[in-house]
Amino acid sequence: MSPVVIFAIFSFLLGAAVGSFLNVCIYRLPAGESIVSPPSRCPACGARIRPWHNIPILGWLILRGKCRDCGAPISPRYPLVELLNGLLTLALFLKFGPSLTFLVLFVFCSALVAITFIDLDHQIIPDVISLPGIVVGFACSFVLPWLGWKSSLIGIVAGGGSLLLVAWLYELFTKKEGMGGGDIKLLAMMGAFLGWRSVPFIIFASSLIGSVIGVTLMLIQKKDGKLAIPFGPFLAAGAVLYIFYGKAIITWYLTLGAR
Ligand SMILES: [Zn+2]
């Protein structure tokens, strides 16, 4: 096997293994529990998960989605989160190769996966991820030439500031609280990791994806505007889209006007 294939397989396994850790974060962080101890237990009977059943994706398949001790069903979301993070990491490796950029964006995207599922479950984006994320993103900008500390710093201010403005205007006109503080800190973190150019793209893309999915859900559920959909997952989708296709989409958009 060529080294590239071996690295590609390794990147998928790395992503899936970290996905297994993300599952722990997704379930324990919102409850304020430690993510280090105790070791994984069945939520139904409390039996300890055996190490070989903790193998990403495969463990769940071996158990056929049931606890070995009490037979309680184990959510298919566990292997799905592992698979998703594995594929995302593989895609990052195929795009950026074995590089510092790959490592930094791997950490960033893993954080986005955890944030997405926590926001879907609880409508919150934990500060323990987004605030250190802003600092880590800014620190990484010093070693990533395509990013640069100035673009990262402006990204933090533009990301946080623009959503803060939207939230403020929304409250001013509707007298209701719309955009959560968590979304503001999340976009600041994205600006830190991806630079200021990503901010307008992410706002536009996430609003577009959010409206399409929001309207679809309302039509399916026949509810009128009372559906509370968290915005974090759409911001995350916008950021991932920017990483893989941002340049291509912006170039395509700009050439539209030149025609
Ligand atoms: Zn059990």
Side-chain angles (χ1 to χ4, degrees):
M1 264 197 285
S2 76
V4 179
V5 177
I6 294 169
F7 270 123
I9 293 170
F10 176 75
S11 68
F12 175 81
L13 294 177
L14 173 73
V18 168
S20 185
F21 171 69
L22 296 179
N23 274 321
V24 177
C25 295
I26 291 165
Y27 285 91
R28 292 190 187 176
L29 277 183
E33 292 169 23
S34 163
I35 50 172
V36 197
S37 66
S40 305
R41 282 169 192 284
C42 165
C45 71
R48 240 178 110 157
I49 311 282
R50 292 159 184 81
W52 57 92
H53 292 150
N54 242 336
I55 302 167
I57 308 167
L58 283 181
W60 189 86
L61 292 174
I62 293 169
L63 290 168
R64 293 201 191 88
K66 285 190 194 109
C67 170
R68 178 77 183 272
D69 294 277
C70 71
I74 305 168
S75 169
R77 230 178 65 174
Y78 288 95
L80 281 177
V81 166
E82 290 156 358
L83 183 67
L84 176 69
N85 210 55
L87 291 175
L88 206 51
T89 309
L90 174 63
L92 283 172
F93 176 78
L94 294 177
K95 186 162 175 79
F96 299 103
S99 60
L100 208 54
T101 299
F102 162 72
L103 272 182
V104 170
L105 293 180
F106 158 60
V107 171
F108 175 63
C109 286
S110 299
L112 291 186
V113 169
I115 285 171
T116 293
F117 286 95
I118 291 173
D119 203 12
L120 282 175
D121 285 351
H122 305 278
Q123 275 81 51
I124 53 155
I125 295 168
D127 284 349
V128 289
I129 303 178
S130 58
L131 292 182
I134 295 172
V135 178
V136 172
F138 183 59
C140 290
S141 72
F142 287 89
V143 290
L144 297 173
W146 57 266
L147 180 54
W149 70 269
K150 278 181 203 155
S151 177
S152 176
L153 189 63
I154 300 169
I156 296 169
V157 177
S162 53
L163 278 197
L164 199 63
L165 188 69
V166 170
W168 181 73
L169 286 174
Y170 185 87
E171 272 190 65
L172 192 73
F173 287 109
T174 63
K175 310 280 177 222
K176 278 185 291 186
E177 205 176 313
M179 192 72 64
D183 296 316
I184 296 168
K185 283 168 257 180
L186 174 59
L187 192 58
M189 169 182 152
M190 291 170 170
F193 271 95
L194 302 176
W196 70 266
R197 284 176 191 85
S198 71
V199 173
F201 181 95
I202 293 170
I203 293 176
F204 182 74
S206 59
S207 309
L208 194 67
I209 302 167
S211 327
V212 171
I213 293 184
V215 168
T216 312
L217 284 179
M218 272 181 215
L219 288 176
I220 294 171
Q221 307 201 341
K222 295 196 169 58
K223 280 182 189 169
D224 35 8
K226 282 176 186 161
L227 207 60
I229 310 170
F231 198 56
F234 300 124
L235 286 172
V240 170
L241 200 64
Y242 179 80
I243 291 171
F244 289 100
Y245 301 108
K247 255 189 200 158
I249 293 174
I250 292 169
T251 311
W252 169 78
Y253 181 76
L254 292 179
T255 51
L256 279 183
R259 256 178 231 166

